[in-house]
Amino acid sequence: MTETRDDNVTWLTQEAYDRLNAELEHLTGTGRIEIADKIEAAREEGDLRENGGYHAAKEEQGKIEARIAQIQNILRNARVGGAPQKAGTVGPGMTVTIKFVGDDEEVTFLLASREESGAPIDVYSPNSPLGSAINGKKIGETVTYTLPNGRSASVEIIDAVPYGSESS
């Protein structure tokens, strides 16, 4: 999955869209039934104020409902397919290779949303410090950004190609 600069649109690969739909179907069907059964069984154990199983089941129910809402929001704003891509320019949905200045090791990752976590390579969010710093930059550019600990780091962009088109 990739995101564009328009926060209202989430670009999903067909695979990610299908995976999210299946998860939503499970959570709104079987998932809700299973948690309702757990809550009912815990209620039958007696005093709810001191019933750890009941409170755990209610907490799990809250997590399920939050995930349902999250998936519904993603799918409501989803567009299936890839965001417009241009090889050589970093953007969501791109496989990016960088090198930290002063280090010879190259790092390759997919710049995409965490919903694409099933990708066979590491996924970095476009909203992360590194992701937002390199977004829109071109191959050969060096970018300095601030790390969460307050220090700064510089990276050189080595390659940027649409996900799935990288050479093996």
Side-chain angles (χ1 to χ4, degrees):
M1 169 166 94
T2 61
E3 299 170 344
T4 64
R5 290 179 193 258
D6 178 355
D7 291 336
N8 296 323
V9 176
T10 302
W11 291 93
L12 297 171
T13 61
Q14 186 65 53
E15 177 185 17
Y17 183 83
D18 292 344
R19 186 171 21 92
L20 288 171
N21 260 329
E23 182 181 354
L24 180 62
E25 187 175 313
H26 169 76
L27 291 175
T28 57
T30 307
R32 280 184 171 157
I33 292 168
E34 288 173 353
I35 195 62
D37 290 345
K38 284 182 184 179
I39 291 170
E40 185 57 35
R43 274 194 181 128
E44 292 174 4
E45 292 176 8
D47 187 359
L48 297 182
R49 292 176 298 198
E50 297 178 9
N51 188 329
Y54 173 79
H55 294 291
K58 289 297 281 184
E59 184 176 324
E60 184 179 347
Q61 180 185 41
K63 289 178 182 179
I64 288 172
E65 293 303 321
R67 180 64 178 155
I68 288 169
Q70 180 185 34
I71 294 171
Q72 288 173 332
N73 185 50
I74 291 168
L75 294 177
R76 184 178 315 111
N77 298 311
R79 302 291 181 270
V80 177
Q85 306 293 330
K86 182 179 174 190
T89 302
V90 176
M94 302 293 280
T95 300
V96 181
T97 302
I98 61 166
K99 181 171 68 171
F100 287 89
V101 174
D103 188 352
D104 290 335
E105 185 178 348
E106 294 182 357
V107 178
T108 300
F109 56 89
L110 172 62
L111 188 65
S113 171
R114 67 186 179 115
E115 294 305 325
E116 198 60 61
S117 62
I121 63 173
D122 288 338
V123 178
Y124 288 32
S125 170
N127 300 323
S128 68
L130 173 59
S132 60
I134 64 174
N135 198 10
K137 304 299 184 207
K138 297 185 182 331
I139 293 174
E141 287 188 59
T142 298
V143 178
T144 300
Y145 67 101
T146 304
L147 299 166
N149 66 7
R151 293 184 180 168
S152 62
S154 297
V155 297
E156 178 186 352
I157 299 163
I158 305 299
D159 198 13
V161 295
Y163 178 65
S165 68
E166 57 274 355
S167 51
S168 308

